[in-house]
Amino acid sequence: DIAALLVSLKIHQRNAVIDMSTGTLFRILCVFLLQSISNSFYIDNCTGRRCLFELNAERRTRTRTPRTASTRTKERRRPRRTPRDTSSTISRSVNRQERNSVPEIFDGKELTSCQLSNEDAPPLDVFNGDLKCLSDGIDTSDNKEVDQPAFAHFSLDIIHDGLSEKFNSDTVFRKALRDAIRRDVFFSTPAYSNMSEKVSAIMLLPDTSLQGSWRKPIDMENSRMDRVTAVLSEALGSSAPTGDELMHKIGALCGSRPSTHWIDIHGVQDRTVSHSWHLDTGYSPDGSKTVLWGFPPEDNYSGCGVFSHVVSMQYQCHAPESHSRMEPIIFAGLIDEKYIVRPLYAPGGELLMYRDIDVLHSSPDVAYRASVMRFM
């Protein structure tokens, strides 16, 4: 077709009546050719490329079937898919989420009831095992073997006759006594004197730990533990010791050269924790001792979870002279269960006493207590 077109144009040019220049006719021919060639291409919908028309009847006659009323009716009559019943799947998913969202209940009483005190555990050679001392300067080459029981229990009756029975049988008395001790120490400690009322209230909450000194300041002329005196007097009558006498008698069990440090430890009581073995100071001048006073979680309680856990050492462990008196000596590593003592709290054994150079100790892995007070 294009060749015939070119021949026709040449004949037309020769026979033209109108006088045209060769350049004008050439431009007309070019425009005509471009339009013809452009119309001979189509866009392929699949590839997007320009392609020559195939001169076949099928392509030239391809048409779209028009939609009629009958075809639209047939389309409307097509059956719809039945919706899938997903109620059971959703129910299973919700139940699974509910199970996953319910937190596991921690029961310290149940867990400690399964623990054994193991108070006859053998001593451990701390420096010939898997433990690693993280504190510098600890030398055990000249340390002596521990030649006495590493720890011992005592009754509150050594402080005042009848105090042990009252302490273990009366929850209200125990709570009032603990709160009074905390308040008297807090309000007589200079470091707390400038704290705001709001901060003071937070620090005195029963689920917080609080520290100070068990010894009455030398320059304090008046009595210090007046709240404790009132609680003891109401519970024990006229023969009750004063609050200052109570604190002094327990502190005196520490020996002739105590540090006088005191702390009331509440600790973690909502989950199981890993043991963290350490010495509080690594010092025991003139045989000075640490005294723990346990506050049980319920009346007449007997079991583990009140006192710190301890490990009797085969050899004494002394801190070097350069070591700060109140800086702990930290150990890393695991200790076999056969060496771990979970001291038993029981009426008549409210106090636990040991030398810091004779035992490793740690917060209990499961605590079940109101608190434990430590005198040093």
Side-chain angles (χ1 to χ4, degrees), residues 145-164:
E145 189 169 358
V146 177
D147 56 359
Q148 59 183 351
F151 59 90
H153 292 276
F154 293 91
S155 170
L156 282 174
D157 284 348
I158 66 173
I159 307 301
H160 180 78
D161 189 34
L163 179 57
S164 174

Side-chain angles (χ1 to χ4, degrees), residues 5-300:
L5 178 61
L6 291 174
V7 173
S8 176
L9 285 174
K10 289 180 180 180
I11 295 172
H12 177 72
Q13 183 179 10
R14 286 197 302 267
N15 298 329
V17 179
I18 302 174
D19 185 17
M20 293 184 179
S21 65
T22 304
T24 302
L25 288 174
F26 182 75
R27 284 194 296 271
I28 293 173
L29 176 62
C30 290
V31 172
F32 191 83
L33 286 172
L34 290 174
Q35 290 178 349
S36 299
I37 293 171
S38 176
N39 293 332
S40 300
F41 284 83
Y42 72 99
I43 301 298
D44 190 319
N45 291 328
C46 296
T47 65
R49 301 170 64 182
R50 294 176 65 85
C51 304
L52 282 171
F53 271 108
E54 298 180 5
L55 301 178
N56 56 64
E58 183 180 355
R59 183 180 292 276
R60 288 197 303 268
T61 60
R62 181 180 295 173
T63 58
R64 181 179 180 182
T65 303
R67 295 182 67 191
T68 63
S70 61
T71 58
R72 285 194 293 268
T73 303
K74 291 179 180 179
E75 290 175 359
R76 286 197 297 268
R77 289 178 180 175
R78 289 176 183 172
R80 295 182 179 179
R81 294 179 60 185
T82 304
R84 182 182 176 185
D85 184 9
T86 59
S87 59
S88 60
T89 303
I90 295 175
S91 177
R92 289 194 299 270
S93 177
V94 171
N95 291 337
R96 190 181 300 111
Q97 291 177 0
E98 288 179 352
R99 289 196 301 269
N100 293 338
S101 63
V102 175
E104 183 178 351
I105 298 176
F106 178 83
D107 191 339
K109 181 177 182 178
E110 180 180 358
L111 292 174
T112 53
S113 67
C114 301
Q115 293 181 332
L116 299 176
S117 62
N118 194 31
E119 295 195 0
D120 295 327
L124 173 67
D125 186 354
V126 172
F127 292 93
N128 286 324
D130 296 331
L131 281 184
K132 179 180 179 181
C133 182
L134 302 182
S135 301
D136 296 331
I138 305 300
D139 183 12
T140 61
S141 58
D142 297 329
N143 286 357
K144 299 178 180 179
E145 189 169 358
V146 177
D147 56 359
Q148 59 183 351
F151 59 90
H153 292 276
F154 293 91
S155 170
L156 282 174
D157 284 348
I158 66 173
I159 307 301
H160 180 78
D161 189 34
L163 179 57
S164 174
E165 181 181 359
K166 181 65 176 177
F167 182 79
N168 285 284
S169 63
D170 193 337
T171 299
V172 175
F173 170 67
R174 282 197 310 275
K175 289 183 176 180
L177 181 60
R178 178 181 176 232
D179 182 68
I181 293 173
R182 288 167 60 91
R183 289 181 178 276
D184 282 341
V185 171
F186 181 85
F187 289 111
S188 62
T189 300
Y192 302 139
S193 60
N194 294 325
M195 290 187 175
S196 66
E197 183 177 348
K198 184 175 182 179
V199 173
S200 299
I202 294 174
M203 293 189 66
L204 289 170
L205 290 174
D207 60 351
T208 62
S209 297
L210 182 72
Q211 61 183 329
S213 174
W214 55 261
R215 176 179 286 176
K216 175 182 175 181
I218 298 176
D219 57 353
M220 180 178 287
E221 297 180 357
N222 299 324
S223 59
R224 178 195 187 197
M225 312 295 290
D226 293 334
R227 294 176 181 82
V228 179
T229 298
V231 171
L232 292 173
S233 178
E234 181 179 357
L236 302 175
S238 59
S239 63
T242 66
D244 290 286
E245 290 172 343
L246 174 72
M247 296 293 282
H248 177 76
K249 287 182 178 181
I250 296 178
L253 297 175
C254 296
S256 59
R257 295 180 59 188
S259 68
T260 76
H261 184 264
W262 169 91
I263 184 172
D264 180 46
I265 305 170
H266 179 265
V268 177
Q269 299 194 24
D270 60 353
R271 62 186 183 277
T272 301
V273 299
S274 299
H275 283 121
S276 177
W277 300 109
H278 62 279
L279 307 177
D280 284 325
T281 65
Y283 287 105
S284 181
D286 294 341
S288 60
K289 299 177 178 64
T290 297
V291 178
L292 301 182
W293 180 7
F295 280 69
E298 58 188 58
D299 287 346
N300 301 312

Side-chain angles (χ1 to χ4, degrees), residues 357-368:
I357 60 173
D358 294 338
V359 300
L360 292 177
H361 40 91
S362 167
S363 298
D365 51 359
V366 179
Y368 185 57

